[in-house]
Amino acid sequence: MPVISVPLEFNEEELYVDLRSTFGQQLYLKCEGFNFAGSIKLKAAAEMVAAAERRGVLLPGSVIIESSSGNLGVALSMIAASKGYRFLCVTDPRCNLSTRRMMEALGSEVHTVTEPDPESGYLGARLDYVRKMCASDDRYVWLNQHANPDNWKAHYRTTAPAIARQFPDLDVLFVGAGTTGTLMGCARYFWEYHRRVRVIAVDSVGSVTFGGPPGRRMIPGLGTSVRPALLDETYVDEVIRVREVDTIRACHRLARNGFLFGGSTGTVVSGAVEWLAEHDDPDLTAVAIAPDLGERYLDTIYQTNWLQDLYGEEVLSPDGLTAGSRSA
C-alpha cells in the first residue's frame, strides 16, 4: 500500500490504453494524467522548481510566476502549495473555468490577460505581463516553461525511458507540441536509442510552432502563437497538424468508449490515427502520449452548446465521430 506525505510522490507512469477497439488502429496510448496535478505537466513543473531551488534562484519568500493555459498552472499550484511558495499564474480567456478554480483552490493567484497582442496573440500578451511583473518586484521568479531546458530534461529522464522499457521495439512515437518540452525530451532520448524510432510531432492547425499561418485556436494545450525557444526541428521526423474539430471528435470517440481524455490527448490521438491509416503497416509498434484527462473540459469540449456555438451543428455528426475507424 503506497503511503505518501507530499503530492509529488505519486505519479502513475506505466499505464497504457490499447486503442485498436476504438479506432481500428494498433496504437498504444501512454496515460500521463494519473497524478494529483492531472497531467504530464507535473514532471516539467517539478523539474523546473527543483532546478531553481538548486541554483538558489527560488528562495523562501519567492513568488513563482508563469504563463500557462492550464495544466502547468495546476501543477505549479500544487507544488507551490506543498512547498509553501506563492504562485501567480498568467493565463487568458481560453483557460477552462474548472482549471482556474482548481488553481485558486490550491491557493494560487490567477491573472487573466483579456487582450491578445496584435502580432503574437494571447501568448505574447501573457509573456509581456510576466516580464512586467518581474521587472516590478524582484521576489518574482519566472520559470519560463517556453525556454527552460529543465522542461525537456524532465521527459528525457522519465517519460521517454519509461516508454522504452515497455516497448523496446518501438517504431513510431507521437508527441503533442505545446512548449515542445515533452517532444524535445523524448526526441533527444530516442535519437540516442539503440534502434531507429520515428518521432512525429502533432500540432494544432492555427499554431505557428512549425511555421504554419496563425489562426483561431480555442482549445488550450497544444499549439502556440509564439515559436517555442526549446524547439529544435532537427530531432523531429515529421509534423502532423490537426484541426480542432478533429480533436473534438477524437475526444468524443474516446469518451463513448469509456475513456474521458482532454483536448491535448484528442489532438495527439487524431493525428496518430490518421497517420497510421495512411501508412497501413500492421507490424508497426506505435505509441502516443496522452498529456491529460478530460474532467477539466466538461464545460468546453464536452459541452454541446459551447461546441455548436464555435464549430457549428455538424461538429458531432455521426459521420465525423466514426471517421477513421475501420471497424465502423
Side-chain angles (χ1 to χ4, degrees), residues 108-238:
S108 298
E109 180 184 352
V110 180
H111 175 81
T112 302
V113 172
T114 56
E115 293 296 329
D117 182 272
E119 295 184 359
S120 53
Y122 278 118
L123 177 56
R126 280 162 31 192
L127 297 178
D128 287 343
Y129 185 85
V130 171
R131 294 186 187 99
K132 182 179 74 173
M133 295 301 292
C134 290
S136 70
D137 191 330
D138 59 11
R139 290 178 300 170
Y140 285 108
V141 176
W142 182 20
L143 299 174
N144 195 359
Q145 62 166 328
H146 305 280
N148 190 331
D150 293 308
N151 184 345
W152 69 259
K153 288 177 183 177
H155 303 288
Y156 181 92
R157 291 194 311 102
T158 62
T159 310
I163 294 170
R165 285 194 301 271
Q166 295 296 326
F167 298 92
D169 296 327
L170 180 67
D171 294 303
V172 187
L173 178 65
F174 299 92
V175 189
T179 65
T180 68
T182 306
L183 174 64
M184 288 293 96
C186 291
R188 282 183 164 92
Y189 180 89
F190 283 111
W191 188 267
E192 303 166 3
Y193 198 48
H194 65 86
R195 69 191 302 274
R196 182 77 174 90
V197 174
R198 187 179 299 182
V199 177
I200 299 179
V202 185
D203 197 12
S204 301
V205 170
S207 167
V208 305
T209 300
F210 295 95
R216 185 188 76 162
R217 292 179 298 108
M218 300 304 298
I219 300 172
L222 301 186
T224 65
S225 55
V226 178
R227 179 183 168 90
L230 294 178
L231 178 61
D232 183 344
E233 292 187 58
T234 61
Y235 289 98
V236 179
D237 292 288
E238 193 173 337

